[in-house]
């Protein structure tokens, strides 16, 4: 590609969708001959070891510990000057910022050095569900100002693009949709038999939930649904994979509902492709999702997906074709959908096949290709 050097800036590379997408993008760009740098803030629980990632790929990784998620004037000012210094040192053709805080500080730092080609990818957005109204208003205001120095803003989904336009973050032509990429092949090759043996559930139907145990992911709704599903369907078991601040409360709720025999909390696991492959049905119960890459992972592994219709999920799941969409916070509707899928073999087979086909659309190589085209367009502007 004709693009010589790209510097990515992200608030943190803690394990999750945005971190995985950015690392994959950096890796593929380097393979395709670009010089790639990556600035990241304080990372507690890295997606992968950053030193070995840098050695393996040739991507230059810089750490700015003062770059943190919450608003913190002293840290933010220090982060601004450290990032500015790194940009000056790296001399990129393009600065590509990711996530809200890195997007605001990184774009202003690049603009202050007269970098012409600035791209921003929010990876979801902070307009609802995350912060109190005051902080959200402040962030929205900052996003509008930062948009004025940005050449392109890429959203993960069409609904994300519409949200940005509706909130007047910038003019319509500023936004373009590039879905995040998942290593689809890794999930298509997942084998669930080990997980089924480990749980002792070889003969059972397994309904699973995978994510961080935090309020926005609303696992409590999944647990309420699990109690209803147990009463309606035979031989069903439940797997909750992940960790977080709500774990203890959720385990108490499982006990209170008398579900402890049918429900296992696994904690965090490093074999998500195998976990997904062990599931008959995957449920996403979130109150907001920028994109929901976990849906793609589940579909690729062959689980049938039941998901709340929030944020970008309707851009990933075609209702009735590659999964089933339900309203948020409704255990009854999740129960109906899961039982319908488990009882109707024809429907189950159709959704499983549709999901596998749909997952291909979000492969990591197609994401990288779209970004490479965008970089070239911008450099020609």
């Amino acid at each position: 590609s004709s693009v010589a050097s790209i510097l990515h800036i992200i608030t943190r590379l803690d394990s999750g969708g945005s971190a995985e997408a950015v690392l994959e993008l950096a890796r593929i760009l380097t393979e395709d001959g670009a010089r790639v740098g990556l600035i990241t803030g304080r990372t507690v629980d890295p997606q992968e070891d950053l030193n070995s990632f840098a050695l393996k790929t040739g991507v230059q990784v810089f750490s700015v510990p003062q770059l943190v998620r919450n608003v913190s004037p002293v840290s933010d000012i220090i982060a601004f000057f450290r990032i500015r210094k790194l940009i000056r040192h790296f001399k990129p053709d393009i600065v590509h910022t990711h996530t809200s805080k890195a997007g605001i500080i990184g774009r202003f730092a690049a603009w202050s050095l007269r970098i012409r080609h600035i791209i921003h990818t929010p990876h979801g957005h902070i307009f609802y569900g995350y912060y109190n109204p005051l902080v959200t208003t402040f962030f929205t205001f900052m996003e509008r100002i930062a948009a004025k120095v940005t050449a392109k803003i890429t959203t993960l989904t069409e609904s994300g693009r519409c949200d940005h336009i509706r909130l007047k973050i910038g003019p319509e032509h500023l936004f373009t949709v590039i879905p995040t990429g998942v290593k689809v092949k890794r999930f298509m090759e997942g084998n669930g038999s080990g997980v089924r043996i480990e749980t002792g559930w070889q003969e059972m139907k397994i309904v699973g939930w995978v994510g961080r145990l935090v309020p926005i992911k609303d696992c409590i709704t999944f647990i309420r649904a699990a109690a209803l599903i147990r009463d309606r369907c035979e031989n069903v078991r439940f797997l909750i994979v992940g960790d977080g601040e709500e774990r203890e409360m959720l385990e108490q709720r499982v006990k209170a509902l008398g579900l402890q025999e049918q429900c296992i909390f696994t904690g965090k696991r490093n074999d998500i492709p195998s976990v997904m492959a062990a599931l008959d049905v995957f449920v996403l119960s979130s109150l907001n999702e920028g994109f929901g890459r976990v849906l793609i992972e589940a579909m690729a592994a062959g689980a049938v997906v039941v998901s709340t219709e929030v944020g970008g999920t309707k851009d990933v799941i075609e209702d009735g074709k590659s999964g089933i969409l339900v309203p948020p916070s409704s255990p009854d509707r999740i129960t109906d959908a899961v039982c319908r899928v488990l009882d109707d073999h024809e429907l189950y087979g159709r959704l499983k096949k549709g999901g596998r086909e749909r997952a291909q659309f979000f492969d990591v190589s197609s994401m990288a290709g779209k970004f490479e085209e965008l970089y070239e367009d911008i450099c020609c502007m």
Side-chain angles (χ1 to χ4, degrees):
S1 98
S2 60
V3 177
S5 62
I6 301 133
L7 182 60
H8 293 277
I9 309 176
I10 185 168
T11 311
R12 50 187 199 167
L13 282 170
D14 286 325
S15 59
S18 51
E20 194 173 314
V22 171
L23 291 171
E24 276 302 299
L25 178 58
R27 185 180 63 73
I28 294 172
L29 290 169
T30 312
E31 282 170 9
D32 291 349
R35 186 170 73 91
V36 182
L38 176 57
I39 298 175
T40 178
R42 204 171 88 83
T43 298
V44 187
D45 165 29
Q47 179 73 29
E48 60 178 287
D49 181 72
L50 296 178
N51 293 333
S52 67
F53 173 80
L55 282 170
K56 210 166 57 199
T57 58
V59 174
Q60 298 178 50
V61 180
F62 309 98
S63 171
V64 177
Q66 293 82 3
L67 180 56
V68 290
R69 240 182 111 169
N70 44 348
V71 178
S72 157
V74 177
S75 297
D76 293 348
I77 290 164
I78 297 170
F80 173 85
F81 285 106
R82 289 199 57 185
I83 288 169
R84 193 173 185 272
K85 197 175 161 187
L86 287 167
I87 295 172
R88 188 189 269 142
H89 159 79
F90 191 80
K91 297 189 177 63
D93 298 320
I94 289 175
V95 168
H96 186 167
T97 61
H98 304 262
T99 63
S100 189
K101 181 60 107 42
I104 289 168
I105 294 179
R107 282 182 283 172
F108 287 131
W111 173 74
S112 75
L113 291 166
R114 297 205 168 88
I115 301 275
R116 276 182 51 226
H117 309 310
I118 302 173
I119 295 176
H120 177 57
T121 303
H123 297 273
H125 57 60
I126 40 79
F127 303 132
Y128 52 87
Y130 285 98
Y131 300 108
N132 68 46
L134 193 68
V135 175
T136 303
T137 305
F138 171 71
F139 267 123
T140 307
F141 171 70
M142 293 303 284
E143 288 289 347
R144 284 179 191 146
I145 298 174
K148 295 188 192 311
V149 304
T150 313
K152 269 286 184 213
I153 295 176
T154 75
T155 61
L156 303 179
T157 61
E158 186 53 47
S159 32
R161 190 182 90 93
C162 295
D163 280 341
H164 278 78
I165 294 165
R166 196 185 68 243
L167 289 160
K168 300 191 165 51
I169 301 298
E172 245 171 86
H173 64 80
L174 188 63
F175 302 95
T176 185
V177 179
I178 299 182
T180 194
V182 174
K183 290 184 196 160
V184 168
K185 189 161 169 278
R186 221 178 102 217
F187 286 86
M188 295 198 83
E189 291 167 354
N191 182 341
S193 55
V195 174
R196 282 182 165 264
I197 289 165
E198 180 192 330
T199 52
W201 292 345
Q202 293 95 311
E203 304 306 314
M204 299 294 176
K205 291 171 179 167
I206 304 180
V207 178
W209 187 100
V210 179
R212 289 175 296 123
L213 301 176
V214 295
I216 196 99
K217 300 294 182 184
D218 197 21
C219 185
I220 190 83
T221 288
F222 172 70
I223 289 169
R224 289 190 182 120
L228 299 171
I229 294 164
R230 169 198 59 189
D231 298 339
R232 261 177 63 177
C233 299
E234 301 199 332
N235 299 334
V236 181
R237 296 291 181 268
F238 306 94
L239 214 49
I240 295 176
V241 180
D243 218 334
E245 64 200 57
E246 293 199 313
R247 179 161 175 177
E248 208 173 300
M249 178 274 287
L250 295 166
E251 287 178 333
Q252 293 299 321
R253 181 54 64 99
V254 164
K255 281 203 184 82
L257 290 166
L259 269 172
Q260 61 271 50
E261 296 298 310
Q262 293 94 0
C263 181
I264 293 177
F265 285 83
T266 72
K268 271 193 74 165
R269 293 189 61 126
N270 299 324
D271 59 344
I272 298 300
S274 307
V275 170
M276 291 296 196
L279 305 180
D280 295 285
V281 179
F282 172 79
V283 175
L284 182 133
S285 54
S286 300
L287 301 172
N288 184 11
E289 279 288 339
F291 184 70
R293 62 185 290 126
V294 68
L295 296 171
I296 296 154
E297 296 172 354
M299 290 190 293
V304 169
V305 169
V306 173
S307 168
T308 48
E309 187 173 337
V310 292
T313 59
K314 63 179 172 298
D315 298 291
V316 177
I317 302 294
E318 307 142 304
D319 189 28
K321 231 169 109 183
S322 47
I324 296 178
L325 292 171
V326 296
S329 315
S330 56
D332 297 357
R333 296 288 293 276
I334 290 175
T335 304
D336 289 344
V338 171
C339 292
R340 207 170 93 220
V341 167
L342 291 175
D343 292 341
D344 182 340
H345 289 290
E346 192 274 327
L347 174 68
Y348 185 88
R350 201 173 74 234
L351 291 176
K352 179 173 177 141
K353 184 169 175 287
R356 280 217 141 131
E357 284 166 8
R358 181 72 178 149
Q360 305 287 338
F361 178 73
F362 299 101
D363 190 56
V364 65
S365 55
S366 68
M367 167 192 77
K370 286 172 187 154
F371 273 117
E372 286 176 336
E373 278 171 36
L374 179 67
Y375 295 154
E376 292 193 10
D377 290 350
I378 280 177
C379 287
C380 296
M381 270 157 69

